[in-house]
Amino acid sequence: MENIRQTVKRVWGYDTLLPLQEEAMRAVLARRDSIVILPTGGGKSLCFQAPAAAMGTLTVVVSPLIALMKDQVDGLTTAGVPAAFLNSSLTSDERRLVEDNVVRGRYHLLYVAPERLVLPPCLGLLRRAGVACFAIDEAHCISQWGHDFRPEYRQLRVVREVFPDVAIHAFTATATPRVRADIATELGLREPEILVGSFDRPNLVYRVRRRTDRLRQVTEALERHRGAAGIIYCIRRAEVDQLADALRRLSYRAVAYHAGLADAERRRAQDDFITERADVMVATVAFGMGIDRSDVRYVIHAGMPKSIEHYQQEAGRAGRDGLPSECLLLYSGGDFGLWRSILMAEGLPAPGAMQKLGEMYDYCQGAACRHRFLVEYFGQASRADTCGACDVCLGEIAVEDGSAAMARQILAAVTEMGERFGAGYVADVLCGAKTARIAEMRHDRLDAYGVLRQYSKATVRSWIEQLEGQECLARGEGEYPTLDVTARGHRVLRGESAVPLLRTVARSVRQAPSRAARPAVPPSLGQMSDEDLFEMLRVLRRTMAAERGIPPYLIFSDASLREMARERPTAKDAFLQIKGVGLRKLQELGPRFLACIRAHKDGSAAGTSPVP
Ligand code: ADP
Ligand code: ZN
């Protein structure tokens, strides 16, 4: 048998393995049960696909998502690994063909939906065919403590009963010990090797901003990623429709996705996004599971998610290919209130739901490194004090100097005004505004009048909101949303407790790294920049994907195209050195990519069409 690294190089074109991949593969080859916990983009698939390709026997993969199975199988087939799937999307003829091939030992990997796998005919088929091992993808679906419990996963316990001697390998991105224990018990694992990777995603830049003007803030971010793919999450369906419309009016290629749309519309939106006819997916959290597009360059939350777990999952869809990507979260105190009322309306909210909401809000309001916050939230130690990849460490936000004094001034103003006014009016008074109402109420004679006049009203309002968020102020129950000082607020007033107030530093966000990667010296006239060549290669990728009826990211990843644009190989052996180019892809896809690179290498701008 070829050694596993040779297989990885030959089939997938990778010279190196990602953290823990080697250990995970060794467990598979040793036929020892295992639980592998790696973050999204950690390269879980390769952990069972490479051993399957190396051994050449049948690995059965259980996966909950029918759409994903087809993509995975298409990806494997394109790389030259015989694979197939069995699920309800097949006609009975197609299914029989696959079953025949299974018995004949034609496949190295077979993807099966859990509810089908546990049926006696399927178990019988696999017994006859002989199975080398089982890989259970998204294994957290087996646990009620995970975020995506699926009852059909519970039935997987028969696998161990029917195949007592076949090793079972579980893969998930959910790290909690409780979920892990459930996986081991439910699958009947025997002394599994447990491999837990780091949950930090160093290629993601995290930013949090108070939402002031949603459309402007969103388009500013989109401009950092022109033409690249991204997802914008909204809390409510109506916001999805509005924002997608607004973006389309501004000529962005945006589509909308939420559970209120007809199936066909949803499918079209998803299809447009996957095949690169659309760049921007505006969606509720209903969108995402089952999307394997690895070149998502940004995920924007237009509203705050209800837990860090949700945030991590959704934001984690950015940058699966390991290239720099941005996660921007826009929030307001209103989001917190909205979620609270949604959770209350559910009657009895799930245990811990309110606490998780509070933790999410803490994240938004925090002034500590975002990477560190997230990593520590998930129970891991963080490596460095500053990450260089979040708004805090990049110096984009700052704790206001003297913020304890300002918090007291705001709270004192609310008290002085008898707790009978709303945030906007209080801010006017603090800023010393000259309005008719203030004159009429004679509030220009208050001690509080104008004490914060050196700050803009927007800044003062944001501080009032932050004080609400930190439960120093609360909105009254009455008809008008007047502000009251809470018990905590009184402690701050007495100087017994302090709260930090944050302000976004007026300094523009650094350009996205992909743009910054342009050469400092402009290319000489007629010579094509890496960026332009990359765009040409993307067009070619799209064309070849359409010809094959598969998503573009299965042809080559962005990471591979970037390397091609940089290295500009013109011969086969040089092309094979590109990360992500295996032998099959060299043969099948290489010639046209090489021709495209050759045609544009010397900037012989002749023929700007990428298709020779
Ligand atoms: P996960 O399922 O853990 O989210 P995937 O299996 O989808 O991750 O892999 C994420 C990305 O990383 C894919 O684009 C994959 O091609 C790439 N990848 C996997 N292993 C390697 C490797 N050893 N070297 C480079 N890229 C890799
Ligand atoms: Zn940081």
Side-chain angles (χ1 to χ4, degrees):
M1 192 178 87
E2 183 181 53
N3 91 31
I4 195 85
R5 283 184 171 267
Q6 288 167 333
T7 308
V8 169
K9 175 69 181 159
R10 171 177 62 84
V11 179
W12 282 273
Y14 300 142
D15 289 309
T16 53
L17 293 175
L18 300 176
L20 297 183
Q21 278 184 330
E22 171 138 33
E23 289 81 348
M25 291 177 190
R26 235 186 275 136
V28 176
L29 293 171
R31 301 175 188 280
R32 166 163 182 200
D33 289 353
S34 66
I35 302 178
V36 178
I37 302 169
L38 288 172
T40 309
K44 289 184 282 296
S45 323
L46 199 66
C47 299
F48 54 85
Q49 290 175 347
M55 296 187 294
T57 43
L58 182 65
T59 291
V60 173
V61 186
V62 177
S63 163
L65 297 155
I66 291 180
L68 256 180
M69 286 187 200
K70 180 168 177 353
D71 281 2
Q72 296 262 334
V73 167
D74 285 342
L76 285 163
T77 313
T78 311
V81 181
F85 60 82
L86 279 176
N87 63 35
S88 55
S89 76
L90 296 181
T91 63
S92 50
D93 281 349
E94 288 168 334
R95 196 192 65 225
R96 260 192 299 278
L97 184 68
V98 170
E99 287 171 353
D100 271 1
N101 285 334
V102 169
V103 175
R104 292 192 187 144
R106 296 255 168 95
Y107 302 125
H108 297 171
L109 289 125
L110 178 70
Y111 285 74
V112 189
E115 60 276 12
R116 178 165 300 261
L117 173 64
V118 299
L119 297 178
C122 190
L123 291 169
L125 172 81
L126 295 177
R127 280 255 291 264
R128 264 176 288 139
V131 178
C133 75
F134 287 92
I136 317 292
D137 211 0
E138 314 286 354
H140 59 275
C141 291
I142 212 164
S143 170
Q144 268 166 324
W145 302 106
H147 48 80
D148 190 28
F149 174 57
R150 289 170 186 246
E152 64 274 21
Y153 259 65
R154 276 290 159 90
Q155 303 170 358
L156 289 174
R157 50 170 74 226
V158 306
V159 170
R160 173 93 315 153
E161 288 157 23
V162 179
F163 299 91
D165 303 324
V166 179
I168 299 176
H169 309 285
F171 296 86
T172 177
T174 306
T176 66
R178 207 165 198 177
V179 171
R180 203 187 301 167
D182 266 5
I183 292 172
T185 318
E186 292 295 326
L187 290 174
L189 301 186
R190 286 185 296 244
E191 293 175 28
E193 169 109 74
I194 296 180
L195 300 166
V196 185
S198 162
F199 271 73
D200 192 29
R201 302 275 311 274
N203 62 316
L204 302 186
V205 173
Y206 294 109
R207 294 201 160 88
V208 182
R209 291 281 186 280
R210 190 162 286 278
R211 192 169 62 242
T212 48
D213 177 344
R214 189 178 61 184
L215 186 60
R216 187 181 52 77
Q217 288 172 302
V218 164
T219 51
E220 259 173 33
L222 294 185
E223 283 310 299
R224 293 197 281 274
H225 306 277
R226 247 173 213 281
I231 305 172
I232 305 178
Y233 283 111
C234 301
I235 300 179
R236 286 180 294 200
R237 296 172 188 179
E239 290 169 325
V240 169
D241 294 330
Q242 279 163 16
L243 187 56
D245 277 346
L247 291 175
R248 276 193 293 259
R249 276 199 296 277
L250 294 169
S251 313
Y252 290 100
R253 300 196 303 166
V255 289
Y257 185 106
H258 57 69
L261 296 172
D263 275 359
E265 276 178 283
R266 269 210 313 268
R267 210 165 318 122
R268 177 147 35 86
Q270 179 161 330
D271 239 43
D272 283 351
F273 184 67
I274 288 176
T275 55
E276 298 185 3
R277 282 194 298 272
D279 303 319
V280 189
M281 170 59 85
V282 189
T284 59
V285 297
F287 174 79
M289 267 291 254
I291 293 303
D292 241 0
R293 190 169 173 177
S294 63
D295 63 346
V296 172
R297 290 278 74 84
Y298 58 92
V299 170
I300 300 173
H301 280 80
M304 184 182 82
K306 65 176 167 178
S307 73
I308 300 275
E309 281 84 354
H310 283 87
Y311 182 63
Q312 162 101 347
Q313 254 232 316
E314 291 146 25
R317 298 192 173 118
R320 292 177 71 144
D321 54 11
L323 295 181
S325 307
E326 175 172 359
C327 303
L328 170 65
L329 168 48
L330 304 175
Y331 78 105
S332 84
D335 294 346
F336 181 83
L338 174 65
W339 277 120
R340 195 168 39 190
S341 50
I342 293 175
L343 292 172
M344 296 307 248
E346 285 170 3
L348 198 65
M354 287 298 178
Q355 189 195 332
K356 284 183 188 297
L357 181 61
E359 285 162 345
M360 186 70 238
Y361 201 47
D362 289 345
Y363 173 82
C364 294
Q365 301 217 312
C369 174
R370 313 285 180 192
H371 280 270
R372 190 167 69 206
F373 184 107
L374 292 172
V375 164
E376 289 178 353
Y377 181 88
F378 291 102
Q380 294 187 330
S382 69
R383 298 162 305 167
D385 277 349
T386 66
C387 68
C390 78
D391 51 357
V392 177
C393 296
L394 292 168
E396 292 169 9
I397 63 164
V399 178
E400 195 57 48
D401 279 343
S403 64
M406 273 169 321
R408 278 204 299 275
Q409 281 165 325
I410 293 169
L411 295 167
V414 173
T415 314
E416 194 184 8
M417 293 161 71
E419 304 189 326
R420 288 188 294 120
F421 298 88
Y425 185 74
V426 173
D428 272 343
V429 169
L430 284 161
C431 292
K434 296 189 170 42
T435 68
R437 187 157 177 235
I438 288 178
E440 192 182 311
M441 305 286 294
R442 302 194 170 191
H443 280 159
D444 46 3
R445 300 181 188 180
L446 296 176
D447 288 342
Y449 184 74
V451 289
L452 295 178
R453 61 163 47 93
Q454 68 269 43
Y455 301 101
S456 70
K457 184 177 170 189
T459 300
V460 173
R461 279 213 58 160
S462 124
W463 287 335
I464 292 175
E465 245 185 51
Q466 292 181 42
L467 288 170
E468 278 186 70
Q470 304 187 63
E471 290 171 357
C472 296
L473 287 173
R475 305 241 170 165
E477 299 291 314
E479 187 180 347
Y480 300 104
T482 56
L483 292 173
D484 298 333
V485 178
T486 62
R488 172 132 199 253
H490 284 292
R491 279 201 297 281
V492 172
L493 260 177
R494 290 195 298 268
E496 294 163 13
S497 165
V499 289
L501 297 179
L502 308 179
R503 188 165 57 139
T504 307
V505 173
R507 121 145 112 114
S508 64
V509 164
R510 225 180 26 164
Q511 275 295 297
S514 59
R515 296 274 141 180
R518 278 170 182 267
V521 185
S524 59
L525 209 63
Q527 198 188 331
M528 191 172 249
S529 70
D530 289 1
E531 189 68 28
D532 293 337
L533 181 53
F534 172 72
E535 290 302 330
M536 306 297 288
L537 293 169
R538 263 183 94 192
V539 175
L540 175 59
R541 175 175 70 179
R542 204 145 55 216
T543 310
M544 294 180 72
E547 289 165 7
R548 287 165 175 72
I550 59 175
Y553 64 80
L554 292 182
I555 298 277
F556 286 120
S557 72
D558 269 19
S560 300
L561 295 194
R562 289 253 168 235
E563 197 178 326
M564 287 177 205
R566 201 169 54 238
E567 303 299 330
R568 308 194 176 189
T570 50
K572 280 190 164 187
D573 50 346
F575 193 71
L576 197 53
Q577 295 312 307
I578 302 286
K579 203 193 255 185
V581 180
L583 280 182
R584 171 66 64 96
K585 289 194 177 181
L586 172 70
Q587 283 159 13
E588 304 262 313
L589 310 170
R592 278 167 75 185
F593 277 89
L594 280 167
C596 177
I597 295 167
R598 272 191 224 113
H600 298 289
K601 185 176 170 102
D602 310 312
S604 51
T608 36
S609 159
V611 187

